[in-house]
Amino acid sequence: MPSQKRRLPSRPNPPARPGPIRSDLPQLLASFRNLLPCRRLWRLPSLAQAGFYDRLFNPIVTLWYLIFQRLQVDSTLQAALADAWAGGADRFCRGLSRKLRSLATTALSDARQRLPLSFLKEVLGLQADRILGLDPKTQWRGFGLRLMDGTTLRLRPYGDIPKQFPPHRNQSRRPAYWCLLRVVVLFCVHTGAALGYAAGSLSWSEQVLAARLILENPGLFLYIGDRNFGIFRLAQAARAAGAEVLLRLTQQRARRLLGRSLRLGIFDLIWAPTRHDQPQEGCSRDPVHGRLLIVRVQRPGFRSQTLYLFTSLDACYPAEELVALYGLRWQIELNLRHLKTQMHLVQLECKSAAMAEKEWVAGLLAYNLIRAVMLCAALAAGLRPLQLSFSAARRHLQHWLREVGQGQILGLRRWQTLLVLVGRSRLPHRPFGRPPEPRAQRHLRQSFPPLFGSRAKARRQFKKYQPKN
């Protein structure tokens, strides 16, 4: 019989962000399970306003296996389908393991392609709000602290990927093979959770993507960025979004803004755009009022460093606190490294541009689940979340989710065991730091030469010169 199309019922939406909770085990467990609430997900606008056929791999099951693939070492569709046969998704679709008939991954692959990208973005926003609601310490003087930085991801030139994300240029004359996807991510300073992102091709600079990301998330936030984001466009976009900025400037830009020789101190100034600046479209071009902080940072065992920081905050906020806040910016480098190495996002194995962005959002959702476990363990142990090991938390969460998939009863005892194990996995304290190591890698000998150009061209060359037997 052909499947019938059903319309999802419209229900009133609950409040988007819950209030802070106490750090006892039952409420921590309930809050962690509510990071992906099925009923709330069905009522998101992208699903509530569209119709879906009643298939085995419905949007909720498909979403779970997108996240499941990023949490497992074996991230193939075959591994996800094997988990479905073992009953790993029966809690999302009753009797799914008994209804499956084929071992082919076609149905799951088609379901991944049907899932709207807007739905994944809405889930990421809902998940980020609930993680922030776990702990009220994520606020600083009424501001939500946001770290922003960008990176690139590798893609193979399949399908429409070369058209959407053209291959990068290189210095050699050989044609480039890898396509690159540029992303800019917002992270929470306190928890390390990913709160939003903007993506595009290499024709879009990180500054343009960051300005678009700020305008899409208006609110009372303080955005912290390095010298790459210390431009007028970011300060202009933050003012339009009702936010504030703490940006590091280059020495040349700081000298141009100050209008005289640089010296240590705090200076009130007006940042007006020059003919070289590219203001943000749709925003006011009026000058931005702020302060320039020129401070020299000296740490034992390190060379002294002079920082040029621009902030739109007034004199009510001490310069010492702002310098200490900028010192937390290095955490975003570790967050991006965890995304690319631990979540296996450095190279996306997709065959379409739309699927590549879905895989990236699924990686952010899986990453946030690990950060949520670390936050729960920190609240239970009285620690800071960033004191815990991300890789250890990922391994313990994988074991816990495996038990969930096997249908075992997970009460407070197993949840407490998970939090205790994660809470004990603290990062080592190195008072003297690590000794410097050369940036070199010892490669093994390979019996095959490197491949340049496309594989199809290499096949044609191989057939042309292949000796006839």
Side-chain angles (χ1 to χ4, degrees):
M1 294 180 63
S3 57
Q4 297 181 354
K5 193 174 184 179
R6 60 183 179 91
R7 193 80 177 181
L8 300 178
S10 59
R11 303 178 184 176
N13 294 336
R17 181 171 177 174
I21 63 170
R22 299 191 306 272
S23 58
D24 54 344
L25 294 177
Q27 290 186 347
L28 287 177
L29 178 59
S31 299
F32 179 76
R33 289 178 173 174
N34 286 331
L35 293 178
L36 295 173
C38 293
R39 294 182 180 180
R40 180 71 175 89
L41 296 181
W42 279 113
R43 294 195 295 268
L44 289 176
S46 56
L47 292 189
Q49 298 174 4
F52 291 89
Y53 288 101
D54 191 10
R55 294 183 172 94
L56 293 180
F57 291 103
N58 58 44
I60 306 301
V61 175
T62 308
L63 170 66
W64 165 245
Y65 276 119
L66 277 171
I67 300 175
F68 173 85
Q69 289 179 264
R70 289 300 158 192
L71 288 174
Q72 304 298 322
V73 178
D74 186 1
S75 59
T76 61
L77 288 180
Q78 289 287 355
L81 187 63
D83 181 81
W85 274 92
D90 286 356
R91 59 191 181 280
F92 302 116
C93 180
R94 183 175 301 177
L96 174 63
S97 58
R98 299 191 302 271
K99 298 176 183 178
L100 291 174
R101 293 293 181 268
S102 175
L103 292 176
T105 60
T106 307
L108 181 56
S109 177
D110 293 343
R112 286 155 45 97
Q113 298 178 20
R114 287 192 304 267
L115 197 66
L117 177 62
S118 58
F119 170 67
L120 294 175
K121 293 182 178 180
E122 292 169 358
V123 174
L124 179 62
L126 174 65
Q127 188 188 63
D129 287 340
R130 300 211 169 189
I131 291 177
L132 294 180
L134 282 171
D135 191 4
K137 296 180 181 179
T138 56
Q139 299 287 329
W140 176 81
R141 291 177 174 261
F143 289 96
L145 299 178
R146 303 288 186 269
L147 298 175
M148 58 182 176
D149 204 352
T151 186
T152 55
L153 313 174
R154 289 199 306 265
L155 299 169
R156 296 184 183 275
Y158 293 149
D160 61 340
I161 292 180
K163 183 178 180 179
Q164 296 293 332
F165 311 110
H168 68 288
R169 298 178 181 178
N170 52 21
Q171 297 179 354
S172 63
R173 297 182 180 180
R174 301 186 184 94
Y177 174 76
W178 294 103
C179 300
L180 292 183
L181 169 65
R182 173 167 286 162
V183 293
V184 173
V185 195
L186 293 180
F187 290 95
C188 175
V189 174
H190 180 69
T191 62
L195 307 178
Y197 81 99
S201 63
L202 291 185
S203 60
W204 295 82
S205 65
E206 292 185 357
Q207 296 90 344
V208 173
L209 295 177
R212 187 178 71 183
L213 189 57
I214 291 175
L215 293 174
E216 291 176 354
N217 297 273
L220 198 60
F221 303 128
L222 177 61
Y223 293 97
I224 304 175
D226 59 4
R227 286 177 291 191
N228 187 36
F229 300 98
I231 61 175
F232 178 78
R233 169 176 284 193
L234 271 297
Q236 180 190 22
R239 181 182 58 185
E244 307 292 343
V245 294
L246 177 61
L247 306 174
R248 184 180 179 184
L249 307 181
T250 60
Q251 184 179 9
Q252 181 180 2
R253 182 171 282 111
R255 182 182 296 109
R256 186 169 61 247
L257 287 179
L258 195 57
R260 56 180 182 270
S261 60
L262 300 176
R263 65 179 186 275
L264 301 180
I266 303 175
F267 308 93
D268 296 331
L269 53 82
I270 299 177
W271 193 348
T274 64
R275 61 185 181 90
H276 301 288
D277 291 322
Q278 298 179 358
Q280 182 67 24
E281 296 182 1
C283 298
S284 174
R285 299 196 176 190
D286 296 337
V288 178
H289 296 261
R291 293 184 295 161
L292 178 62
L293 313 178
I294 304 180
V295 296
R296 189 181 300 276
V297 180
Q298 179 66 51
R299 293 177 57 190
F302 295 87
R303 284 180 287 183
S304 62
Q305 191 175 16
T306 303
L307 298 180
Y308 307 95
L309 303 178
F310 173 83
T311 178
S312 56
L313 297 173
D314 53 26
C316 297
Y317 302 90
E320 294 77 9
E321 292 189 29
L322 296 178
V323 174
L325 283 180
Y326 184 79
L328 302 176
R329 196 213 65 85
W330 178 251
Q331 185 61 38
I332 196 173
E333 305 291 346
L334 304 179
N335 297 340
L336 292 175
R337 186 180 69 179
H338 292 326
L339 280 174
K340 299 179 76 170
T341 58
Q342 300 285 337
M343 310 310 300
H344 310 290
L345 293 174
V346 64
Q347 178 177 323
L348 302 177
E349 296 293 345
C350 306
K351 296 188 177 180
S352 65
M355 199 61 226
E357 193 167 350
K358 293 178 186 178
E359 288 280 4
W360 164 252
V361 185
L364 293 181
L365 292 172
Y367 167 86
N368 279 350
L369 288 182
I370 301 174
R371 286 297 185 186
V373 170
M374 297 172 63
L375 178 58
C376 292
L379 291 175
L383 303 172
R384 291 185 295 108
L386 300 182
Q387 291 180 284
L388 305 178
S389 171
F390 182 88
S391 57
R394 178 182 58 86
R395 287 190 290 267
H396 294 309
L397 179 61
Q398 287 177 350
H399 182 70
W400 190 77
L401 291 176
R402 192 178 302 114
E403 293 180 341
V404 173
Q406 294 174 355
Q408 299 185 16
I409 300 177
L410 296 178
L412 293 179
R413 184 175 180 180
R414 293 186 179 272
W415 173 250
Q416 182 180 13
T417 303
L418 172 65
L419 297 188
V420 169
L421 292 175
V422 175
R424 290 180 178 177
S425 304
R426 303 185 188 182
L427 294 174
H429 176 65
R430 298 185 177 94
F432 302 104
R434 289 182 174 178
E437 293 288 343
R439 283 196 163 187
Q441 183 179 3
R442 189 181 299 279
H443 291 275
L444 299 177
R445 286 188 176 182
Q446 302 292 335
S447 58
F448 302 101
L451 176 65
F452 298 106
S454 66
R455 190 169 292 275
K457 182 179 179 180
R459 293 194 190 100
R460 291 193 297 267
Q461 290 291 110
F462 178 74
K463 291 182 180 179
K464 181 178 178 180
Y465 295 103
Q466 184 182 14
K468 297 182 180 180
N469 296 329

